[in-house]
Amino acid sequence: MTGPPAVWAEAAAVAVSRRTLWSGVDLDIAAGEFVAVLGPNGVGKSTLVKVLLGSLPLSAGRVRVLGREPGGASQEIGYLPQRRSFDPSLRVRGVDVVRLGLDGDRWGAPIPGLARVSAAARRASARVAEVIDLVGASAYADRPIGRLSGGEQQRLLIAQALVRRPRLLILDEPLDSLDLPNQSSVAALIARISREEGVTVLMVAHDVNPILPYLDRVVYIAAGGAVAGTPAEVITGPILSRLYGTAIEVLATSDGRLVVIGEPEAPAHHTDRHSGHPHADPL
Amino acid sequence: MALLAVAAPRLGWNPVSDIDQLLRYHFMLNALRAGTIVAVAAGAIGWFMILRRQSFVGHTLATVGFPGASGAVWLGLPATWGYFGFCLAAAMVVGLLPRRALGAASSGLSEESAVIGTVQAMALGAGFLFTSLYHGFLSGTTGLLFGSFLGVTDAQVWTLLAVGLAALAVLVVIGRPLLFASVDPDVARARGVPVGALSFLFVLLLGAAAAEVSQITGTLLIFALLVMPAAAAQQLTTRTGRSLALTVLIAVAATWLGLAAAYFSAYPVGFYITTFGFAAYLLAASTRLVGGRPRRAGR
């Protein structure tokens, strides 16, 4: 890979209300990679996302996103926040939500019918249609988004994050609260987008299994530190045992997938993700 | 005496003569002018209020307008000043209250609604005191609470127009980012949309709208123009532009029909505008139930 790394950090640390969440984090994610950020609840995975977006400063160390200070490259980052579902009564179409990702930050009000006379407006509509097609959401994009299923909403939100052709896609638990078939199909979709569009994907994940076949690299955050590397390097018994502070065994199946045994169970509900209670995520 | 020479308005089968009767008096012209201005502003701002689920805030701002207006009348000032002064001041206070995201479904909501409810009750009480202090103000309480179309002055029409146009101009400028911040605040924030500032600005717009509507429908019936048209339009279409246009159309229609009905009958305007708004909503909801796509099972 050439050019500056998509995400680069050196001895980065972050503190929230004077409590250090993690420190000594080094990252070097090359352009076009598909990377998962993993770790127990409350360890600061979403905090890492906030740092990369420039909404939270580091307490120590340095970080660069697309070669710039965090926040400096926001036009080139597509961001999908942690799972949010739209109110069923929200009477706004999916296509309009995607469109907001394209020009929702521009002042003024959209003029209905402009696409008939303005080439720029036509291009914008075409781009929205194209990206909706890319995520396979064309069949239901005209329906009110609140009425769609979780998987359908998530596809449209990925389209929204992609609509400006970002170089870096930051996804915060995009598979959370999806059922298993949707988890694997959305994971495959994200991998395909990363490969075909050449987008670097940084995905905070709760469960590594649906994305394991596609990952170039994983970053584990736990107990104040972080480990980064290929899945085969990092998802090993000794490294995870040290990270979680409990005995963990990792087995490889014949098709190359990794099965992690002995990890603590995750709580069924995540009402307070940042409480820092001692449960850990499954892999 | 001019008043005695005039027959009571009578609704007939000739629409030209009916409209002629409707527009014969200056007070009625002013009522229609004021009503139209208010309906347009309230429709557009109400549409966003529904989207942002801030009806409770809107209602509270209107309630605060009641002591403002009655206090102004007691002190010999135009009621319009009282409405705008109090509603906008209250909007600033509400806008500066710390709120989480959209205020919906967050733990901060219950405390906020308790504070707002407390203020609302106090405002109604204080307004009642002011109307009592002003003994000569006959039936004033009813007019302030449930609306009246009599005695709209030229100056009031101009004030309503100026505030209404200013509010609409602001809404046009912030329209798209406000929609983004309302539908999808997290992503909007990440895209650099000033979500907090927009939220504050919108509450100010809501204060202006509440003050405007109060002067037609009264403090307690503002939802007739702030909620009903938007709710009806959102039943009929999910297209943003059409939905907004339809909202304004329904608001204006309900206001005109309500004013005309009140003019030709003995019953109050607040009742009529509410009735026409409600009818529009029922019609829209039944249209959607009959003609709408079958609902999807599950999520």
Side-chain angles (χ1 to χ4, degrees), chain A residues 211-241:
Chain A
I211 47 176
L212 188 56
Y214 314 109
L215 286 177
D216 295 311
R217 213 107 69 92
V218 296
V219 177
Y220 265 97
I221 306 182
V227 189
T230 65
E233 285 167 10
V234 177
I235 308 177
T236 64
I239 287 191
L240 291 187
S241 299

Side-chain angles (χ1 to χ4, degrees), chain A:
Chain A
M1 288 288 171
T2 54
V7 177
W8 176 88
E10 188 182 69
V14 80
V16 174
S17 45
R18 269 172 289 170
R19 186 173 74 96
T20 298
L21 278 178
W22 37 259
S23 58
V25 171
D26 298 320
L27 291 172
D28 188 3
I29 297 169
E33 283 190 329
F34 187 174
V35 180
V37 178
L38 303 159
N41 279 340
V43 79
K45 286 175 294 182
S46 292
T47 311
L48 174 65
V49 169
K50 283 186 193 150
V51 166
L52 297 180
L53 291 172
S55 57
L56 195 71
L58 286 179
S59 55
R62 292 191 301 159
V63 63
R64 290 283 179 281
V65 180
L66 298 173
R68 268 165 284 178
E69 288 291 327
S74 63
Q75 297 300 314
E76 294 176 276
I77 297 176
Y79 169 51
L80 186 74
Q82 205 165 56
R83 182 72 193 139
R84 64 217 198 272
S85 64
F86 292 95
D87 189 275
S89 68
L90 182 65
R91 305 277 294 161
V92 172
R93 296 179 303 166
V95 62
D96 292 326
V97 174
V98 176
R99 177 63 185 255
L100 284 171
L102 185 68
D103 59 10
D105 56 346
R106 281 214 332 253
W107 299 106
I111 302 163
L114 193 65
R116 256 164 274 163
V117 288
S118 150
R122 245 193 329 272
R123 270 200 305 278
S125 303
R127 174 60 187 156
V128 169
E130 180 189 24
V131 78
I132 286 173
D133 188 51
L134 180 71
V135 300
S138 303
Y140 45 81
D142 275 336
R143 297 227 299 271
I145 195 155
R147 289 252 167 240
L148 301 177
S149 73
E152 291 168 338
Q153 290 187 14
Q154 200 63 294
R155 279 166 204 273
L156 284 165
L157 292 174
I158 290 168
Q160 186 202 47
L162 277 173
V163 69
R164 275 204 213 169
R165 307 179 192 279
R167 289 164 60 200
L168 172 63
L169 199 54
I170 299 179
L171 311 165
D172 199 347
E173 307 236 7
L175 307 182
D176 199 21
S177 85
L178 297 184
D179 55 24
L180 282 176
N182 264 315
Q183 283 192 11
S184 54
S185 66
V186 170
L189 169 71
I190 294 167
R192 181 166 63 87
I193 288 164
S194 171
R195 206 168 48 240
E196 290 177 4
E197 311 274 301
V199 183
T200 312
V201 176
L202 188 105
M203 183 200 280
V204 174
H206 177 71
D207 177 3
V208 78
N209 277 316
I211 47 176
L212 188 56
Y214 314 109
L215 286 177
D216 295 311
R217 213 107 69 92
V218 296
V219 177
Y220 265 97
I221 306 182
V227 189
T230 65
E233 285 167 10
V234 177
I235 308 177
T236 64
I239 287 191
L240 291 187
S241 299
R242 203 177 67 221
L243 210 63
Y244 279 126
T246 178
I248 286 176
E249 203 173 335
V250 177
L251 305 175
T253 60
S254 55
D255 60 355
R257 288 174 64 102
L258 301 171
V259 181
V260 177
I261 296 167
E263 62 186 333
E265 279 294 320
H269 292 287
H270 311 284
T271 46
D272 187 0
R273 295 193 154 278
H274 302 288
S275 59
H277 49 69
H279 300 284
D281 288 310
L283 283 171

Side-chain angles (χ1 to χ4, degrees), chain A residues 84 91 101 104 108 143 160, chain B residues 172-173 176-177 184 191 234 296:
Chain A
R84 64 217 198 272
R91 305 277 294 161
R143 297 227 299 271
Q160 186 202 47
Chain B
V172 166
V173 171
R176 192 164 24 208
D184 210 354
R191 278 282 160 86
Q234 294 199 2
R296 291 168 51 79

Side-chain angles (χ1 to χ4, degrees), chain B:
Chain B
M1 293 279 284
L3 268 176
L4 291 177
V6 172
R10 217 192 191 92
L11 189 64
W13 290 107
N14 181 352
V16 177
S17 122
D18 289 342
I19 290 173
D20 184 52
Q21 286 185 62
L22 198 60
L23 302 180
R24 190 176 296 162
Y25 300 109
H26 190 64
F27 86 89
M28 201 55 209
L29 270 178
N30 270 358
L32 284 165
R33 286 174 186 141
T36 309
I37 296 162
V38 165
V40 172
I45 293 168
W47 189 87
F48 277 99
M49 183 185 81
I50 297 283
L51 188 74
R52 299 171 60 80
R53 295 197 245 153
Q54 289 188 313
S55 304
F56 192 46
V57 175
H59 196 264
T60 300
L61 295 177
T63 313
V64 174
F66 174 56
S70 55
V73 171
W74 174 47
L75 295 173
L77 299 169
T80 310
W81 295 12
Y83 277 122
F84 282 118
F86 270 56
C87 287
L88 289 175
M92 293 227 187
V93 174
V94 171
L96 291 175
L97 283 181
R99 52 174 36 245
R100 296 252 215 101
L102 274 175
S106 70
S107 56
L109 184 67
S110 58
E111 195 190 334
E112 188 182 277
S113 59
V115 171
I116 286 178
T118 307
V119 171
Q120 201 178 91
M122 186 62 226
L124 276 177
F128 192 42
L129 171 72
F130 293 146
T131 52
S132 307
L133 285 171
Y134 185 71
H135 298 293
F137 191 35
L138 287 173
S139 78
T141 315
T142 318
L144 291 175
L145 287 179
F146 296 104
S148 154
F149 64 107
L150 298 170
V152 178
T153 64
D154 289 350
Q156 195 179 350
V157 171
W158 285 114
T159 313
L160 289 172
L161 183 66
V163 175
L165 281 181
L168 282 177
V170 171
L171 198 61
V172 166
V173 171
I174 67 172
R176 192 164 24 208
L178 181 66
L179 183 68
F180 200 4
S182 306
V183 171
D184 210 354
D186 291 339
V187 178
R189 197 176 288 114
R191 278 282 160 86
V193 173
V195 175
L198 284 176
S199 173
F200 177 72
L201 209 56
F202 182 73
V203 175
L204 281 191
L205 291 183
L206 199 51
E212 294 231 315
V213 183
S214 297
Q215 297 176 52
I216 301 295
T217 66
T219 290
L220 294 183
L221 296 181
I222 58 151
F223 280 1
L225 291 180
L226 270 179
V227 172
M228 285 175 170
Q234 294 199 2
Q235 295 287 321
L236 290 174
T237 177
T238 51
R239 287 171 176 268
T240 319
R242 278 186 207 174
S243 179
L244 252 168
L246 206 56
T247 302
V248 170
L249 210 69
I250 294 171
V252 170
T255 306
W256 284 355
L257 289 172
L259 282 170
Y263 177 73
F264 285 112
S265 77
Y267 304 107
V269 65
F271 162 72
Y272 282 118
I273 295 182
T274 318
T275 304
F276 285 114
F278 189 62
Y281 179 74
L282 280 188
L283 218 65
S286 52
T287 309
R288 184 177 156 211
L289 280 184
V290 173
R293 264 185 266 252
R295 289 184 187 184
R296 291 168 51 79
R299 287 179 35 74

